[in-house]
Amino acid sequence: MTVLIFLIGALLGVLIGAVACVRYVRQEMTAHVAPSMHLMEARMSTLQSSVDLALSKWHEDMHTHRIRHDRILD
């Protein structure tokens, strides 16, 4: 009977320890992942702005080239 009580206590201790470790690991992972996610988001925003600027410049060049071409033909 004493062995059974000791075994149940040990299993309960292991279970509580595992829960505490899982909670700690989750908190630490979140703390380490969040800053890198913000950095990635900033880089993606910069990249998106660069692509938007390049596309608008390309569209403007195409439009002005078409106007010049039409004027030459007239």
Side-chain angles (χ1 to χ4, degrees):
M1 186 72 170
T2 307
V3 175
L4 188 59
I5 292 173
F6 177 74
L7 185 62
I8 290 175
L11 288 175
L12 188 60
V14 168
L15 181 65
I16 291 172
V19 168
C21 286
V22 167
R23 291 186 79 190
Y24 176 73
V25 168
R26 286 181 64 196
Q27 287 175 355
E28 288 299 314
M29 285 190 62
T30 305
H32 286 88
V33 169
S36 63
M37 291 297 285
H38 290 299
L39 181 62
M40 252 196 284
E41 184 179 3
R43 287 180 181 170
M44 289 296 289
S45 177
T46 303
L47 181 63
Q48 183 179 7
S49 299
S50 299
V51 169
D52 288 345
L53 182 64
L55 284 175
S56 65
K57 176 80 171 133
W58 176 75
H59 180 68
E60 180 183 345
D61 288 346
M62 293 299 288
H63 183 68
T64 56
H65 179 69
R66 182 183 298 154
I67 291 173
R68 288 184 197 153
H69 185 58
D70 290 344
R71 287 183 183 166
I72 291 173
L73 292 177
D74 287 343

